[in-house]
Amino acid sequence: MKRTTLILLLLAGITSDAQEVAHAPGMEIAGFTFLATGETGFESPSEPAPGGQVRIQETTFLTPVTGMTAGPVSLGVAGWAGWTRFDFQDVPGLGTEDLYGAAAALLVEQPAGQNWGWNAMVMPGYFGEARFMAQAQAVRRVTGAWRLELGMAFDDAFGDPQLFPVGGAVWRATDTLALNLLFPSSSICWSPVRHLSLFAFLQPAGNRWVDHDDEGKWIYVIEGWRAGLGIEPRLWKRLWLRLEGGGELARRYEVHHYQNLELDEDVDDTWFARAALVVY
C-alpha cells in the first residue's frame, strides 16, 4: 500500500505545477529514500526460550515517466524500485538477506473539481515473483476545504497481497494546514513558515518478497504499522529534504522455505529513521 498510495499521489501531480502548500508524505513526484530500523528481538520457533534479533535497512527510488491530459482526464506512468535488507542474528537458517522489487504504474484520473471525480491505477511488478497491484476510488468534493474518498485496493500493505477498502476524508484547512483522515494511511501536515513543512503520520508497513537460491524458494512476509513525525525543509526550487523518525509497531514476521515455516513470530516494537530527497 505504501507503493500504490505514493504512486497515486505522484501520478496525480505529474501534470501539475509545484505549489507552496503543506506537503503530506507521498505527495512528491519523485524521491530517493533510505530507511533503517533498530535491532529488536523475537522468539524463534526452533528455540524454547526467546532468542534472535533482526533489523532492517531499505532504499527506494520513485520517478515519473510521462504524463498527459485529454480534456478532464489525466494519464500518468511512473516507475518504482526498492532494495530491502534483513539482518537476522542468532536465528537458525537465516542471516543477511537482500531482497529486491520493481514495479511500473499506470494511472487514469479525473479530478473532483467542484463535484465528483475518480481515479484508477494498475501496478504490475516483480518482487522475486510477478505481482499485480491495483486501486480504484471515487472522490467527492464536499466543500472547498473538504473532500471525501472511497474505493478498494489490492496490495501488500498488510503482508500478503489482499483486497481491502480505502478512503476517508481530507480537510485542507488552509494552504499551510492539511488533515488527511484516510485508511490505511493518515497524516497531518503544517507549514509554519515558507519552505518548511512539519508532519505526523500513521501507515501500514507490510510487504512480501520471494527469493530463490540453491536450496529453493524463500518467502518473506512482514505485517506491521509505522507511526512517526517528520520535518521537511526546502533545499532548492522543487527539491526538499525529508527527515522522519518514529516507531515500528505491532509487527509480525513470517519466513517460508518450500513448505516449511522457518519463522512465524511477533517482533518487538522498535524505532525507525528515514531520510529522503524528494521533488514536488
Side-chain angles (χ1 to χ4, degrees):
M1 187 63 191
K2 53 187 175 296
R3 286 186 295 270
T4 55
T5 300
L6 188 64
I7 290 177
L8 276 168
L9 290 166
L10 179 155
L11 293 172
I14 284 179
T15 56
S16 302
D17 293 327
Q19 299 180 9
E20 298 289 345
V21 299
H23 296 141
M27 290 179 64
E28 63 268 19
I29 65 169
F32 180 79
T33 302
F34 176 77
L35 176 144
T37 72
E39 190 172 75
T40 187
F42 52 85
E43 291 190 7
S44 169
S46 62
E47 299 291 340
Q53 293 181 319
V54 63
R55 61 182 176 183
I56 293 177
Q57 297 179 54
E58 183 176 80
T59 299
T60 62
F61 176 71
L62 174 70
T63 182
V65 176
T66 188
M68 60 176 291
T69 59
V73 178
S74 298
L75 175 69
V77 179
W80 179 95
W83 161 80
T84 300
R85 167 170 288 181
F86 288 89
D87 188 5
F88 291 99
Q89 300 290 333
D90 301 321
V91 181
L94 297 173
T96 299
E97 315 294 342
D98 290 311
L99 305 168
Y100 304 90
L106 170 67
L107 173 82
V108 181
E109 178 194 37
Q110 180 173 317
Q114 298 302 314
N115 294 296
W116 285 94
W118 55 270
N119 58 65
M121 185 203 66
V122 294
M123 187 175 171
Y126 187 79
F127 299 83
E129 64 178 2
R131 188 174 309 165
F132 179 83
M133 293 166 281
Q135 181 169 325
Q137 60 184 11
V139 181
R140 170 65 175 174
R141 177 74 64 181
V142 180
T143 68
W146 283 94
R147 183 175 81 244
L148 300 178
E149 302 178 4
L150 181 62
M152 297 293 295
F154 181 79
D155 195 4
D156 56 12
F158 302 106
D160 286 315
Q162 59 187 280
L163 186 68
F164 56 90
V166 295
V170 175
W171 179 43
R172 173 72 67 175
T174 67
D175 282 348
T176 62
L177 178 63
L179 181 62
N180 304 295
L181 299 173
L182 301 171
F183 179 83
S185 299
S186 294
S187 63
I188 181 170
C189 314
W190 177 48
S191 294
V193 295
R194 192 181 183 190
H195 306 324
L196 179 69
S197 288
L198 307 174
F199 54 87
F201 61 92
L202 174 67
Q203 60 187 206
N207 218 324
R208 184 180 190 272
W209 302 264
V210 174
D211 191 25
H212 299 269
D213 61 16
D214 294 339
E215 298 179 358
K217 180 178 179 181
W218 293 79
I219 300 175
Y220 300 82
V221 180
I222 289 181
E223 301 173 10
W225 289 85
R226 186 171 290 143
L229 302 173
I231 184 171
E232 198 174 77
R234 188 178 193 173
L235 298 180
W236 181 71
K237 293 187 177 180
R238 301 179 67 168
L239 181 65
W240 297 64
L241 172 66
R242 178 183 298 160
L243 301 173
E244 303 173 359
E248 298 263 325
L249 312 172
R251 295 190 299 165
R252 187 172 185 83
Y253 287 7
E254 292 183 16
V255 179
H256 300 259
H257 184 212
Y258 284 112
Q259 302 299 318
N260 298 322
L261 185 60
E262 300 290 330
L263 184 71
D264 183 9
E265 293 295 330
D266 293 331
V267 181
D268 295 337
D269 295 343
T270 189
W271 58 267
F272 80 89
R274 181 162 51 189
L277 291 173
V278 296
V279 177
Y280 290 98

